[in-house]
């Protein structure tokens, strides 16, 4: 028995467009060819597959059951081809399809996981590598191009990296739920006199500003606990170990009812930066990701009315158990 002629791409394409347009004339117009050419390609496809793909009803075509089943498989193949085309475009635009990130803890723990999930939905073929590192390590990795973008909370040295401000926001005082000061709309260093204080370590840029604020207010007690991590401060406060001043992003990450937040005066300013290697053009993926981070942080900070009552905004109708007076 003679071998059948193999199916070719032109036949498949003609069949797909006929199914989409409903007529051979419409398919011919879409493919910029003649109706007899489309008819011949369909006939060749039927001969090659041994299937009757269409029933001829006068001048009209109607897909047969075999034709409908075959079309479903054809569409799956074209979806796969479209996906490969999209992937090729992303690689052409974004390079190797790998994004290496180094970030300070407050960003790596409280901000970037949500942004990475959003980013992966938009760019599912891109491999994301996230490392949580100290400020000095972030600066070193950026300057040596060991990461595509770093997220730091202190303005890095001008050498070895280009910095973009992501956010700046005043710190908030974090208190255990039900604390005697929770009814206050704002808090100052004087209000925290004799409270067990939980401060960032001296390696944190905000520690100097905090020490000055308390000294100027005449509050001289030493901190009860020191830790470099805002998330740890929130957790310690939740366990009743004291009160602290934290980056509002750390407060947003600790989205629990066991603590409350109030604005603190004077302002203790927290900032965040996206840092890109200076030795090369900014990675396009890193630029897109940094913009996503900026937008996400803006949304998180909007949850804190830091100029007024300083508590997390809740859905209408849900009253916090420690609501401060307006």
């Amino acid at each position: 028995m003679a071998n059948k002629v193999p199916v070719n791409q032109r036949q498949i394409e003609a069949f797909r467009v006929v199914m989409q347009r409903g007529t051979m004339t419409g398919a011919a117009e879409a493919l910029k060819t003649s109706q007899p050419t489309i008819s011949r390609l369909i006939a060749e496809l039927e001969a090659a597959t041994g299937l009757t793909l269409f029933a001829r009803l006068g001048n009209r075509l109607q897909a047969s059951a075999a034709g409908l089943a075959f079309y479903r498989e054809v569409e799956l193949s074209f979806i796969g081809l479209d996906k490969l085309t999209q992937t090729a475009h992303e690689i052409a635009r974004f390079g190797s399809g790998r994004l290496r990130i180094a970030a300070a803890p407050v960003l790596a723990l409280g901000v970037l996981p949500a942004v990475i999930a959003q980013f992966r939905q938009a760019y599912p073929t891109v491999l994301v590598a996230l490392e949580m590192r100290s400020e000095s390590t972030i600066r070193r990795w950026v300057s040596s191009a060991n990461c595509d973008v770093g997220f730091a909370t202190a303005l890095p040295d001008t050498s070895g990296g280009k910095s973009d401000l992501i956010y700046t926001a005043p710190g908030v005082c974090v208190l255990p739920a039900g604390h005697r000061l929770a009814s206050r709309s704002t808090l100052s260093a004087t209000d925290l006199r004799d409270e067990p204080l939980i401060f960032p370590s001296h390696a944190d840029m905000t520690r100097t500003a905090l020490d000055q604020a308390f000294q100027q207010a005449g509050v001289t007690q030493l901190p009860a606990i020191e830790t470099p991590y805002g998330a740890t401060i929130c957790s310690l406060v939740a366990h009743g170990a004291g009160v602290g001043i934290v980056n509002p992003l750390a407060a947003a990450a600790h989205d629990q009812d066991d603590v409350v937040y109030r604005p603190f005066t004077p302002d203790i300013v927290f900032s965040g930066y996206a840092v890109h290697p200076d030795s090369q053009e900014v990675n396009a993926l890193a630029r897109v990701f940094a913009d996503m981070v900026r937008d996400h942080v803006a949304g998180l900070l909007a949850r804190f009315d830091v100029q007024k009552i300083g508590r997390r905004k809740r859905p209408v109708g849900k009253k916090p158990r420690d609501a401060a007076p307006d």
Side-chain angles (χ1 to χ4, degrees):
M1 184 174 65
N3 292 331
K4 292 182 178 180
V5 177
V7 173
N8 62 52
Q9 186 65 29
R10 288 194 66 207
Q11 295 164 359
I12 295 295
E13 186 176 23
F15 168 70
R16 181 174 184 250
V17 179
V18 169
M19 291 291 291
Q20 292 172 341
R21 295 301 180 96
T23 66
M24 291 193 182
T25 301
E29 292 174 355
L31 295 175
K32 295 181 171 44
T33 187
S34 66
Q35 188 271 336
T37 299
I38 297 296
S39 296
R40 176 177 57 80
L41 290 170
I42 295 300
E44 290 175 354
L45 180 60
E46 289 183 322
T49 59
L51 300 174
T52 299
L53 301 173
F54 297 98
R56 276 74 173 176
L57 304 176
N59 294 328
R60 295 187 301 109
L61 290 178
Q62 181 175 332
S64 65
L68 290 171
F70 189 62
Y71 177 67
R72 285 192 292 269
E73 295 303 316
V74 167
E75 276 299 286
L76 289 175
S77 297
F78 271 83
I79 290 171
L81 289 173
D82 290 343
K83 182 63 178 175
L84 288 174
T85 301
Q86 177 186 346
T87 300
H89 287 166
E90 289 179 2
I91 291 173
R93 181 181 177 190
F94 297 127
S96 66
R98 178 184 175 93
L99 181 63
R100 301 166 299 166
I101 304 165
V106 70
L107 293 161
L109 295 173
V111 174
L112 297 191
V115 180
I116 289 172
Q118 176 191 358
F119 179 84
R120 287 277 303 156
Q121 288 182 345
Y123 306 101
T125 63
V126 175
L127 170 64
V128 178
L130 172 63
E131 297 282 350
M132 186 171 71
R133 290 291 182 264
S134 67
E135 301 284 337
S136 60
T137 300
I138 293 169
R139 288 195 293 270
R140 188 171 68 253
W141 282 17
V142 169
S143 64
S144 60
N146 283 337
C147 64
D148 300 305
V149 60
F151 291 95
T153 58
L155 185 62
D157 299 334
T158 55
S159 60
K162 296 173 282 192
S163 301
D164 294 329
L165 181 67
I166 294 292
Y167 72 90
T168 181
V172 293
C173 183
V174 55
L175 308 163
H179 191 277
R180 65 180 183 84
L181 295 174
S183 62
R184 303 285 185 90
S185 59
T186 61
L187 293 171
S188 67
T190 303
D191 296 322
L192 302 182
R193 189 188 305 275
D194 299 327
E195 292 287 337
L197 301 176
I198 308 174
F199 270 15
S201 61
H202 286 279
D204 194 304
M205 295 287 289
T206 59
R207 176 59 186 269
T208 299
L210 269 173
D211 286 341
Q212 290 176 349
F214 277 76
Q215 289 169 6
Q216 290 171 3
V219 180
T220 58
Q221 78 253 31
L222 295 175
I225 303 171
E226 294 180 345
T227 175
Y229 305 122
T232 306
I233 292 176
C234 290
S235 184
L236 286 165
V237 171
H239 284 84
V243 301
I245 313 299
V246 299
N247 186 325
L249 293 182
H254 190 92
D255 192 12
Q256 305 294 329
D257 289 336
D258 49 15
V259 295
V260 295
Y261 309 105
R262 299 291 180 263
F264 180 81
T265 57
D267 285 352
I268 305 299
V269 177
F270 291 83
S271 302
Y273 303 86
V275 192
H276 305 277
D278 201 20
S279 59
Q280 60 190 35
E281 183 179 351
V282 173
N283 182 301
L285 276 176
R287 179 68 69 192
V288 169
F289 188 83
D291 288 342
M292 286 185 174
V293 172
R294 184 180 287 105
D295 291 342
H296 184 72
V297 167
L300 289 176
L301 294 178
R303 298 171 63 190
F304 289 84
D305 190 356
V306 293
Q307 297 303 318
K308 295 181 181 178
I309 61 174
R311 63 173 179 257
R312 286 177 284 118
K313 295 183 178 179
R314 300 170 181 268
V316 174
K318 184 177 181 183
K319 183 179 179 181
R321 64 190 183 202
D322 60 324
D326 292 330

